[in-house]
Amino acid sequence: MRTISQQELYSAVADLVIKANFNLPDHVYQALCTMHATEQKPLAKETIHILIQNTRIAAQKHIPLCQDCGAVIVFLQIGTGVIIDGNPIDVIHNAVADTYKKYYLRPSIVQDPLFERKNTGTNTPAFVHTDIVPGNSVTITVYLKGGGSENMTSLKMFTPTAKIEEIIDYIVTAVQQAGPNPCPPLFLGIGIGGTADVAMLNAKKAVLQKEPHPQKEYRALEEEILQRCNQTGIGPLGFGGTHTVGIVRIKEAPTHIATLPVALNLNCHSLRYRSIVI
Ligand code: SF4
């Protein structure tokens, strides 16, 4: 058994929070550049140019990519051969709280969701999801999700007789109805299968996948959804244009014989996340 110290976990999470807030992942930056190069409408092209400039300024001046520094979602893949010293959830919350305070990142979490809605002031709790995997390491992913795009999240419980075309229509309609609210161009994560809760979680995980789906049928579906969403003409920040969605990723899961959940995670152009293996 390998032991990971509280300090090692704390430092890793703090570092990921900083990087996720200030630096877009390379493949997200590249996707914006590709959209800029291929955008047909002048206003849309200029808009993407400004978004790219924003990412450069954030990285150079060490300021947040967006004023909404997000809810902190943490995915932990814990190897069966690892012991984490102490309570890892407490360590993660301390690392998030200290880093948000130190770098003047906006705290955006309220303790009670319905009545008092008082800001915790620390951007905690983080929302931590844990998977147990083989091995003697821990993979940590910090994903920041802004409220504007999170509000556009959608779930539909299809029956197994649903046609692929109905699923595509549902997704394109959701993107259309969201319009400029989630700050397009979007990165779409789609969870298909599982139970309702698993589909929602997989929609979050899907959007963080760099590569298209390895199975050709799902890969073709990702491409079809991308094309159809871009035919809506919503465009960058809703100003009209060729690029409403930059990337579509699907993560599927086994499901009940009577169900076919489809969950949609719309992420804004500022897809902020970082991962490390410790
Ligand atoms: S949706 Fe994204 S870019 Fe828009 S305000 Fe929220 S975090 Fe910022």
Side-chain angles (χ1 to χ4, degrees):
M1 273 293 179
R2 179 177 157 234
T3 300
I4 291 178
S5 69
Q6 293 188 35
Q7 187 52 48
E8 198 175 355
L9 178 62
Y10 178 100
S11 300
V13 172
D15 191 49
L16 293 174
V17 167
I18 294 166
K19 286 182 174 147
N21 265 291
F22 300 148
N23 303 88
L24 271 195
D26 285 346
H27 77 104
V28 178
Y29 181 79
Q30 285 309 326
L32 285 176
C33 292
T34 302
M35 286 188 269
H36 179 255
T38 55
E39 177 57 54
Q40 305 293 315
K41 298 268 169 48
L43 178 57
K45 202 174 179 72
E46 177 60 18
T47 303
I48 301 174
H49 175 65
I50 291 168
L51 298 179
I52 291 171
Q53 274 185 320
N54 179 66
T55 69
R56 290 190 189 139
I57 293 167
Q60 282 162 7
K61 301 203 167 179
H62 229 50
I63 53 177
L65 285 152
C66 182
Q67 42 78 32
D68 183 345
C69 300
V72 179
I73 300 162
V74 181
F75 294 111
L76 288 180
Q77 289 183 301
I78 303 176
T80 49
V82 171
I83 294 172
I84 301 176
D85 198 21
N87 181 339
I89 304 299
D90 286 348
V91 174
I92 289 169
H93 286 161
N94 288 339
V96 169
D98 293 349
T99 310
Y100 270 71
K101 186 172 179 200
K102 182 173 177 186
Y103 290 91
Y104 301 100
L105 304 170
R106 193 187 84 182
S108 307
I109 302 298
V110 296
Q111 186 65 45
D112 181 276
L114 191 55
F115 295 108
E116 196 180 15
R117 289 192 68 89
K118 186 169 187 292
N119 198 312
T120 62
T122 58
N123 216 44
T124 63
F127 302 98
V128 183
H129 304 283
T130 304
D131 289 315
I132 307 297
V133 297
N136 61 356
S137 59
V138 176
T139 303
I140 310 166
T141 301
V142 166
Y143 171 31
L144 309 178
K145 189 79 196 288
S149 59
E150 182 68 357
N151 279 346
M152 299 297 114
T153 302
S154 178
L155 170 75
K156 182 160 180 171
M157 300 301 286
F158 287 88
T159 56
T161 54
K163 297 192 168 52
I164 299 280
E165 193 54 36
E166 290 175 60
I167 293 173
I168 296 172
D169 282 348
Y170 156 67
I171 292 166
V172 175
T173 301
V175 167
Q176 237 160 354
Q177 287 175 344
N181 293 334
C183 300
L186 304 173
F187 293 86
L188 291 188
I190 301 168
I192 302 181
T195 49
D197 50 323
V198 169
M200 295 297 318
L201 193 54
N202 277 342
K204 285 275 196 304
K205 290 179 177 176
V207 83
L208 308 182
Q209 293 176 162
K210 282 187 191 154
E211 302 299 329
H213 201 288
Q215 189 178 323
K216 72 174 190 311
E217 292 86 353
Y218 282 108
R219 201 161 57 241
L221 183 56
E222 290 174 345
E223 190 55 34
E224 171 78 12
I225 291 167
L226 177 69
Q227 302 300 336
R228 289 277 304 278
C229 288
N230 282 335
Q231 286 166 11
T232 62
I234 293 165
L237 301 187
F239 294 143
T242 322
H243 294 294
T244 303
V245 172
I247 285 178
V248 178
R249 295 286 183 260
I250 295 172
K251 186 169 174 58
E252 80 285 7
T255 194
H256 189 282
I257 52 170
T259 66
L260 177 49
V262 177
L264 184 57
N265 171 23
L266 295 89
N267 203 102
C268 58
H269 62 272
S270 198
L271 175 56
R272 298 163 292 176
Y273 74 96
R274 289 284 156 163
S275 296
I276 193 171
V277 180
I278 60 173

